[in-house]
Amino acid sequence: MPTAGRLAGAAGGIAGTRQQEGCPFHFAWEARPLSTNDRDKRVRVNRMIRISPVRVITGDGEQLGVLPIEEALAAAQERGLDLVEVAPTARPPVVKIMDYGKFKFEEAKAARAAKKKQHVIQLKEVKYRPGIDDHDFDFKTRHAREFLGDGNKVKVTMMFRGRQIAHLELGRAVLDRVAASLADVGKIEADAKLEGRNMTMVIAPK
């Protein structure tokens, strides 16, 4: 019986069917390439490491040399630690004896810190009026505190209506009260100034 074969592209991989001579069955197969992201995310730990021998280093950087994988695992177990593959493409692969759980925790912590440094500062606005009551004052100031806590700046706007513009000192007193209430988390970046019928002040996080 003649050999029959068929190849086709399949989502970036290769797929096909093949019938061996003298065999009544068709065999289907498919090969898909491993993406770069998948390779980067895959970290072999302990028994997941199959290649032998490996080059072993400790968490302190001490070189234990090239060892069979079983001896490397035993060395990690004696220390109550894990064996982690850190350079899989090296020949032989490099493994490190470490506390893998602690390593992952510190890695996540560093990622959060880096993300925090990349925070884009926004200018949030909170509006007040000269005759604001205590409840509204506390409510609005609490929002301003949250904005500062998130690393954003706050533009505090005092809005005057009608004849209130003749009593700027009343609005200024409220702005001073806001600044005092937020002094533990913010500092005045731009002092109060009149813009049309509004008086504005900018507070930045400490």
Side-chain angles (χ1 to χ4, degrees):
M1 183 182 295
T3 300
R6 178 174 59 85
L7 298 178
I14 302 175
T17 61
R18 186 175 299 277
Q19 182 179 18
Q20 297 294 336
E21 185 174 356
C23 178
F25 303 106
H26 284 78
F27 296 92
W29 55 273
E30 182 175 348
R32 292 178 180 272
L34 186 65
S35 70
T36 302
N37 289 338
D38 289 338
R39 288 196 299 270
D40 292 342
K41 291 178 182 178
R42 185 179 60 188
V43 177
R44 296 184 182 92
V45 182
N46 298 326
R47 292 289 175 183
M48 293 173 60
I49 305 171
R50 302 295 181 89
I51 298 178
S52 185
V54 292
R55 186 177 301 279
V56 186
I57 59 175
T58 67
D60 298 328
E62 180 186 356
Q63 300 276 347
L64 299 186
V66 178
L67 304 174
I69 186 61
E70 291 300 329
E71 290 186 22
L73 286 167
Q77 290 171 359
E78 288 174 2
R79 294 167 170 79
L81 298 172
D82 301 298
L83 191 68
V84 182
E85 189 178 56
V86 294
T89 59
R91 290 294 178 267
V94 180
V95 296
K96 188 173 184 179
I97 296 175
M98 68 170 77
D99 185 335
Y100 187 62
K102 182 179 179 181
F103 168 75
K104 293 297 292 181
F105 173 80
E106 294 295 338
E107 188 178 53
K109 184 178 178 181
R112 289 194 299 270
K115 185 176 180 180
K116 187 175 182 180
K117 289 181 179 179
Q118 294 174 353
H119 173 74
V120 178
I121 297 177
Q122 299 180 6
L123 182 62
K124 304 289 188 177
E125 184 176 24
V126 181
K127 298 179 179 180
Y128 295 79
R129 294 193 181 278
I132 189 170
D133 60 39
D134 290 342
H135 178 270
D136 285 345
F137 178 89
D138 292 340
F139 178 78
K140 291 176 179 292
T141 304
R142 186 163 57 248
H143 278 294
R145 177 177 292 274
E146 291 173 356
F147 293 146
L148 292 169
D150 290 337
N152 297 308
K153 297 181 181 181
V154 177
K155 179 180 180 181
V156 184
T157 300
M158 175 58 57
M159 300 184 299
F160 296 97
R161 285 181 176 177
R163 296 181 181 180
Q164 289 177 339
I165 195 69
H167 301 281
L168 297 179
E169 70 280 2
L170 297 179
R172 179 58 190 260
V174 174
L175 295 185
D176 290 342
R177 184 182 170 193
V178 173
S181 298
L182 300 174
D184 59 320
V185 293
K187 58 185 178 181
I188 297 177
E189 183 178 81
D191 204 359
K193 64 179 180 179
L194 193 64
E195 298 178 346
R197 300 187 67 85
N198 296 332
M199 185 179 289
T200 61
M201 172 179 68
V202 176
I203 300 178
K206 280 189 173 180

